[in-house]
Amino acid sequence: MPDGSARLLLILGDQLDRRILDWLDYVPDRDRVAMFEVAEEATHVPSHKARTALFLSAMRHFARRLEDDHEALEVHYVALDDADNSGSFAGELQRFAAAHHPAAEIDTLVVLRPGEHRVLASLEAAANALGWRIDLREDPRFYTTPDDFTAWADGRKELVLEYFYREQRKRFGILMDDGSPTGGDWNYDAQNREALRDDAPKIPPRLSFEPDEVTREVFEVVESTFPDAPGSLDSFGWPVTREQALEALDHFLEHRLPNFGTYQDAMRRGEPWLWHSLLSPALNLGLIDPREAVDGALARYEDDAAPLNAVEGFVRQILGWREFIRGVYWHQGADYADRNHLEADTELPSIYWTGDTEMECMRQSLGQVHEHGYGHHIQRLMVTGLFALQLGVVPRQVADWYLGLYVDGVDWVTLPNTVGMVLYADGGVVGTKPYAATGKYIRRMSDYCGACPFDPDQRTGDEACPFSTLYWDFLMRQRDRLEGNRRIGFVWRNVDRLDETEQHAIGSRADAIRARLDAGEPLTPG
């Protein structure tokens, strides 16, 4: 054995990159490698069955691949249904130390930075209890580190995505020509807001992967261990290996990227996938590297196989938004989860768990979440998120719902997106304004409203769209907190045009919506 005590290299479920042993400086005759499936990760928030199954299947495939690729490597793997599984990372570290090696033989726990403050705190506490040093490595899958973000953020009054994004474009030389942005503009978002009309291109079918024996075994474990968990496994077809993830990336670049930009904000009944990449689960698990996705899109642009607005929009999601959100998460610290700038105090309605509602936009968006564990960014921001914002739902409840109900849910992703972008609960750290809107926005970007009993043009009365009622109620309730926001200064003139009678009618209708939701009653009377 080489000089020095042994180290335990712990690989977490969202770190399934083929290069991880190199990143952790694995020494075969000295180090042990472990992976733990623990119930705590599927129960600290209610987790969609497909989310849990995706993590477990990908982990099991990855552990087997590691052993195949590294001679004499034996991964100490604890499965969820192992009889003695303690159910937590701390418990499994203690069991490992007690059962496999005297505590004095191992002196270091080596791990890449986890995707959640809670997990990091748990690992640090467990290592300390065992008398081990923790060697926390930065995750090379990302373009930037938390320290990089802190260096950028320090001294800035506002953390604006656009400025961060431009600096990363310059730093990495992506879509740059002689120091200027390719095409002359940094951002082509204005070209990426088309609704789906009758003459829109044909939507390509989703690439779905048939569950293999490993995945089917995981299904049985998930169903037996978490029978009351939300969601379904019936339509599960997510990539669970690197080979499948690369195939999914190629499929997106070939069939979806050309129209991705133009229609990325659009919504249509019965069409959950549209032209979106569906790559976030594989990216967040580590099955593909974000550079592979960005480089693939750039190659398509260089070959004239995809337009600039699509490629730039995709690059902005990965190099811009994904890196920015993770930077905010670590920069703001663990107490960011408790921000509630707008003092929202409404409980998350039961419709988020059942999908049972007359609002067609919510029924469609919630229904596909329960069926597939998926919804694209506009459905998250401007349907399910918008409703929670204007209803005034407690931010942590909404963030936990997004974390648990989406297959790509990891805390560094969902928390700042929810607390910052969706709910404006951080007071403007992530978003420069709350994204409040009436039902007219949803009507413009979808075909939902044609199948709905509510009218986006009405803000009072039983037929008024709840989004429209709650929009005006939100502005009236939050005026003292938001009136100084320069991004929405124009809206107060519209609020002032409402006479006292209509303001009262809006407030009464909003109260009735909350009461019916709280009681689990239909929003339409009778």
Side-chain angles (χ1 to χ4, degrees), residues 290-343:
R291 294 166 187 80
E292 293 175 310
V294 167
D295 290 347
L298 295 177
R300 290 283 165 170
Y301 174 66
E302 291 168 0
D303 292 342
D304 293 325
L308 182 57
N309 71 305
V311 173
E312 186 279 320
F314 183 64
V315 168
R316 183 161 18 102
Q317 284 191 345
I318 296 179
L319 179 65
W321 191 250
R322 189 171 187 266
E323 297 286 327
F324 178 77
I325 282 295
R326 182 172 182 264
V328 168
Y329 181 83
W330 291 107
H331 182 67
Q332 292 297 305
D335 63 353
Y336 183 76
D338 300 320
R339 304 281 180 90
N340 191 358
H341 176 70
L342 300 180
E343 298 185 12

Side-chain angles (χ1 to χ4, degrees), residues 42 46-57 218-219 221-234 236 238 369-373 404-407:
S47 184
H48 196 294
K49 289 177 181 177
R51 175 177 181 263
T52 302
L54 175 61
F55 272 82
L56 299 190
S57 178
V218 165
F219 287 176
V221 172
V222 170
E223 293 285 12
S224 62
T225 308
F226 310 112
D228 298 323
S232 169
L233 294 170
D234 292 345
F236 189 97
W238 299 102
V369 170
H370 286 279
E371 183 177 359
H372 305 296
L405 267 290
Y406 289 78
V407 293

